Amino acid sequence: MRAFTYERATSVEAAARVAASNSQAKFIAGGTNLLDLMKLEIETPTHLIDVNGLGLDAIEETTDGGLRIGAMVRNTDLAAHDTVRRDYPLLARALLAGASGQLRNKATTAGNLLQRTRCPYFYDTNQPCNKRQPGSGCSAIGGFSRQHAVIGVSDACIATHPSDMAVAMRALDAVVETVTSDGESRSIAIEDFHLLPGDTPNIETVLEPGEIITAVTLPPPIGGRQIYRKVRDRASYAFALISIAAVIHSDGKGRVAVGGVAHKPWRVEEAEGHLPDGARATVTTLLDGARPTEQNTFKLDLVERTLSAVIAEARG
């Protein structure tokens, strides 16, 4: 690990200004992803800004009946919160499907959204990776790609986003609240927050330099049967081959977001109009334009079969 300086932020605005003034600075909260990347010298910040003391750890109801989740709320606390379990069980289930209890005790809401890919070529510094070193190439294309994306990919990157929580947040229409380096507040719909790889897979979100997440807001509860189903190679402590976050109402209508298939949580609202017609009709639109490799084309069938099981469970 390379040497770095460290400071504890005293305010959100000050933290954003410092980060914007130093391109080699990084925010640190739980550190469950950043510290691993620093040890491998994939991330090499020269300055760390500790944001744990900024009071961003509250879970509060909003005036319209929704829920505001502070950026520093730990995954364990969020999954166990009574309001989340009652009104947003999809989110609680997604959180409990991710990582281990020890990691959930440290990982934060904002950090979960900002996780970097678990593509093995991204982690292997001996291999070319456009996400790690722009312009070097993508080793996954033509390499081992069983875990990789099947839709929204580009010729520069076929990595997937690893978060379970983000998939649930996408299905629930969450909004990410931030403060920019000039002290202005901004609200970003979760659908716009993560970017597809295009020619710049190293740019993963719409956050500006220094911009800091302060909270994630959920709209009022939408009811329905909420199900999170994660398919993985082993029963626990593994990232998703694919995952389904679904809200199904008694009339068969609902919402569905998919993880493990794209560079961001994947949701196509047009496809949701086909939910009453079944999984095949839904997935035909949901994954229209997919570009799987020979090694991960099975994910297309896996999404359909898993969604079919989710619909059957929702209908009882």
Side-chain angles (χ1 to χ4, degrees):
M1 183 183 289
R2 299 186 186 183
F4 58 88
T5 54
Y6 168 90
E7 71 172 284
R8 291 177 178 170
T10 56
S11 72
V12 170
E13 293 77 12
R17 283 196 302 271
V18 172
S21 66
N22 182 354
S23 63
Q24 299 302 311
K26 291 283 184 181
F27 299 122
I28 186 167
T32 57
N33 190 202
L34 178 61
L35 291 178
D36 286 343
L37 295 175
M38 289 174 65
K39 291 173 184 177
L40 294 170
E41 295 194 356
I42 295 168
E43 294 275 12
T44 55
T46 60
H47 186 63
L48 292 184
I49 305 164
D50 188 332
V51 294
N52 282 289
L54 298 181
L56 304 175
D57 57 356
I59 303 175
E60 306 167 309
E61 293 188 14
T62 59
T63 55
D64 66 351
L67 199 67
R68 188 174 187 273
I69 303 159
M72 296 300 111
V73 172
R74 308 293 165 170
N75 287 178
T76 294
D77 295 333
L78 184 57
H81 194 274
D82 288 343
T83 301
V84 174
R85 294 176 63 190
R86 182 188 69 232
D87 296 335
Y88 307 95
L90 175 60
L91 177 58
R93 290 167 182 166
L95 285 163
L96 292 173
S100 64
Q102 292 94 329
L103 286 173
R104 292 196 297 269
N105 287 343
K106 292 296 292 181
T108 63
T109 300
N112 199 310
L113 290 177
L114 295 172
Q115 287 184 81
R116 306 206 70 187
T117 185
R118 264 50 178 197
C119 171
Y121 298 106
F122 173 74
Y123 274 80
D124 185 351
T125 55
N126 293 312
Q127 300 291 330
C129 172
N130 288 319
K131 185 179 285 291
R132 175 172 25 84
Q133 186 178 355
S136 62
C138 176
S139 297
I141 298 175
F144 182 71
S145 57
R146 183 173 181 272
Q147 293 274 355
H148 287 73
V150 298
I151 195 163
V153 300
S154 73
D155 293 335
C157 183
I158 58 171
T160 58
H161 193 273
S163 172
D164 291 287
M165 186 197 79
V167 183
M169 291 287 196
R170 180 68 182 92
L172 294 170
D173 284 333
V175 174
V176 181
E177 298 181 3
T178 69
V179 170
T180 63
S181 59
D182 58 6
E184 297 295 321
S185 298
R186 187 157 76 119
S187 295
I188 308 166
I190 189 72
E191 64 184 287
D192 300 322
F193 184 76
H194 296 102
L195 298 173
L196 293 178
D199 296 327
T200 55
N202 56 304
I203 303 175
E204 298 171 337
T205 73
V206 297
L207 293 178
E208 300 170 355
E211 190 168 8
I212 182 172
I213 298 174
T214 55
V216 177
T217 302
L218 298 176
I222 57 175
R225 185 74 181 274
Q226 299 186 20
I227 299 169
Y228 187 78
R229 185 165 294 197
K230 181 177 181 178
V231 182
R232 45 191 163 180
D233 283 329
R234 62 176 188 262
S236 62
Y237 310 159
F239 295 98
L241 283 172
I242 70 103
S243 62
I244 300 285
V247 181
I248 310 292
H249 298 282
S250 57
D251 59 2
K253 297 179 180 179
R255 305 177 181 183
V256 58
V258 186
V261 298
H263 209 249
K264 60 189 290 186
W266 194 256
R267 182 180 171 198
V268 178
E269 281 83 345
E270 181 185 352
E272 294 167 357
H274 296 290
L275 278 171
D277 302 321
R280 176 161 297 180
T282 304
V283 172
T284 297
T285 302
L286 181 66
L287 298 182
D288 183 38
R291 291 171 51 190
T293 69
E294 288 185 8
Q295 295 177 16
N296 67 18
T297 190
F298 73 91
K299 285 192 176 188
L300 305 183
D301 289 333
L302 190 57
V303 171
E304 181 182 333
R305 292 172 183 173
T306 307
L307 179 58
S308 180
V310 166
I311 292 172
E313 180 182 346
R315 291 175 177 172

